[in-house]
């Protein structure tokens, strides 16, 4: 009996090193796998899609300056599109078309080798709508900031006239050749329409850079297929609740018609990147990370 117990104990002791090695190997493998998964997850989390910003009418790329700075500080690669006929661009108004706007946005998108997050304000909303419908495979997310969303066959001008509470249509004045649309008494009406909630310095900033708007793109109907614009739920809208240019109610109607259910609100006039820049950036970063 004693010999049997001794033999049994010896057999158990002989197996113990193997079991110990197996456990160590399993622990090592688990640790390495966990570390690898963590590294992969971190790499995925750190990877941020590029952002393309499109401005609206009677403004130019400068309105996105603070937003661009804030998004870059958060680690995003940002391109701000400069639409022809705006800001410092001297393209004659009669040469500016809605297609040239879309082509500029496509150029910005094509500078990246991956899908982008495309953000448009006001007139820029119509531009990104047409663009996204033409290159849906290159759009990761489509974000409207108080943006127009004309249905195919309708123009920005059509939609602006549908918004009966807007202060904009009654303040427009065409040039003699009808190629430019200006704001009557811009020193007074521009802030009232676009940025009534801005500080005096911010209002003067916009007034000093005011420029009449080419009319051809405003009156050009969009032309796209509804199925191309669907984008599988990747559309977002930020409502500006105190907007005098595109009223809150009309923004809601457009978003609903476009099938956009991912919506946010900011209590601002038509130019939140001027009057409420920190709040706007916070909303944009929330959307970008979804």
């Amino acid at each position: 009996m004693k010999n049997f117990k001794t033999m049994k104990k010896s057999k158990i002791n002989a197996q113990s090193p193997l079991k110990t090695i197996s456990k160590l190997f399993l622990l090592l493998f688990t640790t390495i796998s966990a570390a690898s998964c963590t590294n992969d997850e971190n790499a995925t989390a750190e990877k941020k899609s590029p952002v393309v910003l499109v401005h609206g009418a009677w403004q130019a790329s400068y309105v996105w300056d603070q937003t661009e700075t804030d998004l870059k500080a958060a680690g995003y690669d940002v391109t701000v599109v400069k639409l022809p006929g705006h800001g410092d661009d001297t393209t004659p108004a009669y040469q500016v078309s809605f297609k040239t706007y879309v082509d500029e946005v496509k150029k910005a998108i094509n500078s990246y080798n991956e899908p982008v997050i495309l953000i448009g304000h006001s007139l820029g909303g119509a531009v990104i709508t047409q663009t996204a419908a033409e290159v849906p495979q290159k759009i990761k997310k489509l974000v409207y900031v108080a943006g127009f969303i004309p249905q195919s066959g309708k123009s920005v001008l059509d939609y602006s006239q549908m918004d009966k509470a807007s202060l904009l249509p009654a303040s427009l004045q065409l040039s003699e050749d009808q190629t430019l649309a200006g704001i009557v008494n811009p020193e007074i009406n521009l802030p009232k329409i676009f940025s009534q909630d801005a500080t005096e310095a911010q209002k003067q900033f916009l007034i000093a850079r005011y420029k009449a708007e080419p009319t051809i793109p405003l009156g050009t109907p969009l032309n796209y297929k509804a199925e191309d614009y669907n984008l599988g739920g990747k559309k977002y809208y930020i409502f500006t609740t105190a907007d005098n240019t595109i009223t809150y109610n009309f923004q809601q109607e457009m978003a609903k018609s476009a099938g956009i259910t991912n919506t946010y609100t900011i209590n601002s006039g038509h130019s939140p990147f001027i009057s409420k820049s920190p709040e706007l950036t916070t909303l944009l970063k929330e959307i970008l990370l979804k």
Side-chain angles (χ1 to χ4, degrees), residues 45-233:
E46 291 170 1
K47 177 62 178 174
K48 295 179 178 178
S49 298
V51 176
V52 176
L53 299 168
V54 183
H55 65 81
W58 294 282
Q59 296 181 344
S61 58
Y62 57 78
V63 297
W64 290 117
D65 284 352
Q66 188 59 55
T67 306
E68 177 185 15
T69 298
D70 292 342
L71 291 180
K72 284 184 174 179
Y76 290 94
D77 190 351
V78 181
T79 296
V80 182
V81 176
K82 297 180 178 180
L83 298 180
H86 296 75
D88 296 332
D89 184 81
T90 58
T91 303
Y94 71 88
Q95 292 181 2
V96 178
S97 68
F98 191 78
K99 183 179 182 302
T100 62
Y101 291 167
V102 173
D103 288 345
E104 283 300 311
V105 178
K106 283 183 180 178
K107 188 186 303 181
I109 293 172
N110 290 331
S111 68
Y112 297 102
N113 294 319
E114 59 181 304
V116 307
I117 297 170
L118 185 57
I119 302 174
H121 170 253
S122 197
L123 162 70
V127 178
I128 68 172
T129 298
Q130 182 69 45
T131 304
E134 292 185 14
V135 289
Q137 74 282 3
K138 296 185 177 182
I139 308 301
K140 184 172 183 180
K141 292 176 184 175
L142 195 64
V143 184
Y144 296 88
V145 180
F148 280 112
I149 318 176
Q151 293 181 354
S152 186
K154 297 292 184 179
S155 68
V156 168
L157 185 58
D158 290 332
Y159 266 57
S160 181
Q161 293 174 340
M162 289 164 59
D163 188 1
K164 301 304 181 183
S166 171
L167 299 182
L168 177 62
S171 301
L172 295 181
Q173 183 175 40
L174 295 178
S175 62
E176 189 174 342
D177 63 0
Q178 299 193 336
T179 62
L180 287 169
I183 304 293
V184 177
N185 297 323
E187 294 81 5
I188 298 173
N189 289 321
L190 193 72
K192 185 189 304 182
I193 297 169
F194 291 95
S195 58
Q196 81 281 7
D197 59 328
T199 65
E200 190 57 35
Q202 290 169 339
K203 292 176 181 178
Q204 291 304 316
F205 174 84
L206 291 177
I207 291 171
R209 290 159 180 77
Y210 161 75
K211 186 175 181 179
E213 183 72 18
T215 57
I216 294 173
L218 295 176
T220 301
L222 276 65
N223 183 18
Y224 61 89
K225 296 179 180 178
E227 57 268 27
D228 292 333
Y229 174 67
N230 183 41
L231 298 177

Side-chain angles (χ1 to χ4, degrees), residues 141-147 233-242 248 251-252 255 260-268 272 279-290:
K141 292 176 184 175
L142 195 64
V143 184
Y144 296 88
V145 180
K234 298 185 293 184
K235 297 176 289 189
Y236 299 78
Y237 203 108
I238 297 178
F239 298 123
T240 45
T241 59
Y248 180 35
Q251 291 177 36
Q252 290 177 302
I260 301 176
T261 57
N262 303 308
T263 62
Y264 301 78
T265 59
I266 183 169
N267 184 22
S268 79
E279 291 92 331
L280 177 61
T281 300
T282 297
L283 287 181
L284 287 176
K285 287 194 290 188
E286 182 179 338
I287 293 170
L288 300 183
L289 291 173
K290 282 187 174 294

